[in-house]
Amino acid sequence: MCGVLGILGEYSLRGARDLLLLLAHRGQDASGLLWVEDRQVTTSRSMGSPARIIVPDKVSQFILGSTRYPTTGRRVTSEEDLETFVGPFHRGRVSLTHNGNVTNVKVLSSKRYDCDTEFLAERLSNNINSNDGSLQKAFKDLESEIDGAFSVVGVLDDKLFAYRDSRGFKPLVFGRSGDTTIVASESTVLDMAGVPMERDVYPGELLIFDTGGVMESYSILQNALHTHCFFEYVYFAHPAATIENQLVYDVRFRLGRALGQTFIRMNLDPPDYIVPVPDTSRPAAQAMAEMLQVPIREIILKNRYLGRTFILRSQEERDSMASNKYIYLDGKIKGKNILVVDDSIVRGTTARKIVADLKKRGAEKVYFAVTCPPQTHACYYGIDIATDRELIASTSSIQEIADFVQADALIYQETSTLENAIGIKDLCLACLDGKYPTEHARKIRDKVQELGTTHNERDYERELSE
Ligand code: SF4
């Protein structure tokens, strides 16, 4: 995933850092800010949260920000890594920050990149040079070369620009107020800055903003098929964010209603409580509680000082964090039937631990409801599920998963109800059905099917022999 931010207008660097904090849930590996003054570029990066980025107490006309989630390259493990692993990057005349994942870097370049933002910045800079300085033509070339997802914000000379790939995989929104223009992965950033959201950047649209308040819009490539990442609505985005005119909170509420209907059809013993796994599944739990007329109880509390298990790389890290991630309200559990609601089951580690913890504390029955359908395929577009075999649903039936997590019943969302809840049909569902919308990703898929996924490297980072 990753979070991106671009600001045009005299804006405080510390204020920009505060805005970037609103995108910290999209990447907790590392973060960076870049600012331009009189065409002089300065960057400041930190491991972990944007709160740790050191910036001077001054304003800048152009600011870019990035929160990093490691889909390309390993995790940042030292200060020395920051220079090559963490955006934004400045190459040639271009400064760039990027959300998404480019699947064919190895096909296009023999150079090893730690971060595909650097690759994109170099490629775009070269394309601008080979097109007599035209940003529009440079993006047209980029679209014909790049396979994958890329929502970018950048600075070229005295202009801020934003581009969203022609499939619209990853969100990108913008707003303007007075002399200030803000482009960001999520609308919550605009809310906090007091800048009204104007709209999403359209798939295949290049926006160029100048310091005089003029915005130019260019249609670089019209793709008949948009494939917005459904997982943004289920997991990634903040519930207060609006993506493609859908409030994420409302989508999650509708996902809960659909699960409530499924629960009723299953004729199980009624639960005493609905219990959300914090934080993403709260709206769905509220909807289920209303539908089933069962009280909602926040029995599972999050240890706030730990990050998201999903974005940890090694199994040891995930196991260790899963065992410390939640604190339980002991007195509310004994003898109760509990319906737990979570956003997804990826490896099954967290679900199994929650069920075991509740049963250890005396729960009579634990049902487990999941707002996302079973994920069976790796994502090549920006989530670090590197291979299918990391997903428990790729090799196990729903009953086998229920047995593994030791739930008394496992209630999964269906793909049709997921689509209805999101309210738009042009979605990427590749991690549910293996139908990858881009050509190179399909080649990777074919190769994986041929060779299996026993490799340590991520599938999309393996060399593809044509
Ligand atoms: S494969 Fe899944 S997670 Fe990846 S972009 Fe598509 S919908 Fe999103």
Side-chain angles (χ1 to χ4, degrees), residues 234-416:
V234 170
Y235 176 81
F236 285 157
H238 193 280
T242 298
I243 307 171
E244 300 297 326
N245 299 317
Q246 302 291 326
L247 181 65
V248 171
Y249 178 91
D250 287 347
V251 171
R252 290 181 187 164
F253 198 87
R254 292 194 290 266
L255 288 169
R257 269 202 201 133
L259 279 179
Q261 279 161 349
T262 308
F263 187 87
I264 290 167
R265 283 198 302 273
M266 290 172 82
N267 266 327
L268 297 163
D269 289 343
D272 295 297
Y273 302 135
I274 310 277
V275 177
V277 176
D279 295 310
T280 325
S281 60
R282 277 207 185 98
Q286 285 159 0
M288 289 188 88
E290 276 180 23
M291 175 160 276
L292 302 176
Q293 300 196 325
V294 169
I296 188 165
R297 291 287 181 273
E298 303 242 6
I299 286 169
I300 304 174
L301 302 168
K302 198 170 183 176
N303 182 349
R304 297 241 155 254
Y305 299 98
L306 293 174
R308 295 175 127 180
T309 47
F310 187 77
I311 64 177
L312 297 177
R313 178 61 55 77
S314 75
Q315 190 59 42
E316 297 92 77
E317 278 182 310
R318 281 189 291 274
D319 288 346
S320 155
M321 188 183 278
S323 65
N324 302 320
K325 194 173 175 186
Y326 299 115
I327 301 159
Y328 297 86
L329 286 185
D330 260 356
K332 305 280 182 196
I333 298 171
K334 197 163 183 202
K336 302 293 184 192
N337 288 350
I338 292 174
L339 171 50
V340 176
V341 188
D342 204 353
D343 51 63
S344 54
I345 293 180
V346 179
R347 301 163 182 94
T349 322
T350 303
R352 185 182 164 93
K353 177 81 170 78
I354 288 170
V355 174
D357 283 345
L358 291 170
K359 292 208 165 166
K360 193 169 70 190
R361 288 166 172 79
E364 186 70 27
K365 286 191 174 152
V366 180
Y367 307 126
F368 209 95
V370 194
T371 60
C372 181
Q375 289 165 283
T376 49
H377 293 78
C379 172
Y380 306 147
Y381 302 118
I383 308 189
D384 192 21
I385 298 170
T387 59
D388 294 359
R389 71 180 186 286
E390 292 176 56
L391 294 160
I392 190 169
S394 72
T395 52
S396 308
S397 67
I398 291 179
Q399 186 54 53
E400 285 167 339
I401 300 170
D403 292 344
F404 174 76
V405 303
Q406 300 191 330
D408 293 284
L410 179 60
I411 305 114
Y412 263 115
Q413 191 75 243
E414 289 167 18
T415 303
S416 58

Side-chain angles (χ1 to χ4, degrees), residues 46-110:
S46 77
M47 296 172 71
S49 162
R52 299 170 65 185
I53 301 175
I54 296 168
V55 289
D57 184 12
K58 61 181 185 182
V59 298
S60 185
Q61 181 80 354
F62 295 96
I63 305 172
L64 299 178
S66 169
T67 56
R68 179 176 197 263
Y69 169 83
T71 42
T72 299
R74 58 173 169 76
R75 286 193 65 198
V76 168
T77 54
S78 69
E79 297 284 333
E80 289 71 51
D81 287 341
L82 292 174
E83 285 297 308
T84 57
F85 281 76
V86 188
F89 286 93
H90 179 77
R91 295 292 180 270
R93 286 160 57 203
V94 173
S95 300
L96 199 76
T97 180
H98 159 236
N99 172 30
N101 191 54
V102 179
T103 65
N104 60 343
V105 174
K106 282 193 168 185
V107 176
L108 296 173
S109 172
S110 56

Side-chain angles (χ1 to χ4, degrees), residues 200-228:
D200 298 85
V201 178
Y202 300 133
E205 182 187 33
L206 171 66
L207 293 175
I208 302 177
F209 306 94
D210 73 16
T211 50
V214 175
M215 178 182 90
E216 296 166 40
S217 164
Y218 299 94
S219 176
I220 300 300
L221 183 65
Q222 287 300 310
N223 201 319
L225 186 66
H226 295 164
T227 50
H228 308 299

Side-chain angles (χ1 to χ4, degrees), residues 101-229:
N101 191 54
V102 179
T103 65
N104 60 343
V105 174
K106 282 193 168 185
V107 176
L108 296 173
S109 172
S110 56
K111 180 175 164 185
R112 168 96 202 177
Y113 291 91
D114 293 328
C115 174
D116 54 5
T117 307
E118 183 186 10
F119 166 78
L120 279 172
E122 283 185 9
R123 200 86 191 174
L124 187 62
S125 175
N126 292 341
N127 289 356
I128 290 168
N129 291 340
S130 60
N131 282 291
D132 299 325
S134 165
L135 194 57
Q136 296 93 303
K137 286 181 183 166
F139 269 108
K140 215 166 217 113
D141 286 353
L142 204 66
E143 269 285 1
S144 68
E145 297 163 338
I146 299 291
D147 187 286
F150 55 111
S151 280
V152 300
V153 192
V155 178
L156 175 68
D157 301 332
D158 292 325
K159 296 191 174 162
L160 183 81
F161 64 86
Y163 184 76
R164 192 169 174 211
D165 66 67
S166 66
R167 305 237 170 212
F169 279 104
K170 299 293 166 191
L172 196 64
V173 296
F174 75 96
R176 291 178 290 171
S177 175
D179 294 335
T180 305
T181 298
I182 298 186
V183 185
S185 294
E186 295 188 16
S187 56
T188 46
V189 171
L190 305 177
D191 291 345
M192 184 171 161
V195 172
M197 176 174 155
E198 211 156 311
R199 61 172 169 83
D200 298 85
V201 178
Y202 300 133
E205 182 187 33
L206 171 66
L207 293 175
I208 302 177
F209 306 94
D210 73 16
T211 50
V214 175
M215 178 182 90
E216 296 166 40
S217 164
Y218 299 94
S219 176
I220 300 300
L221 183 65
Q222 287 300 310
N223 201 319
L225 186 66
H226 295 164
T227 50
H228 308 299
C229 170

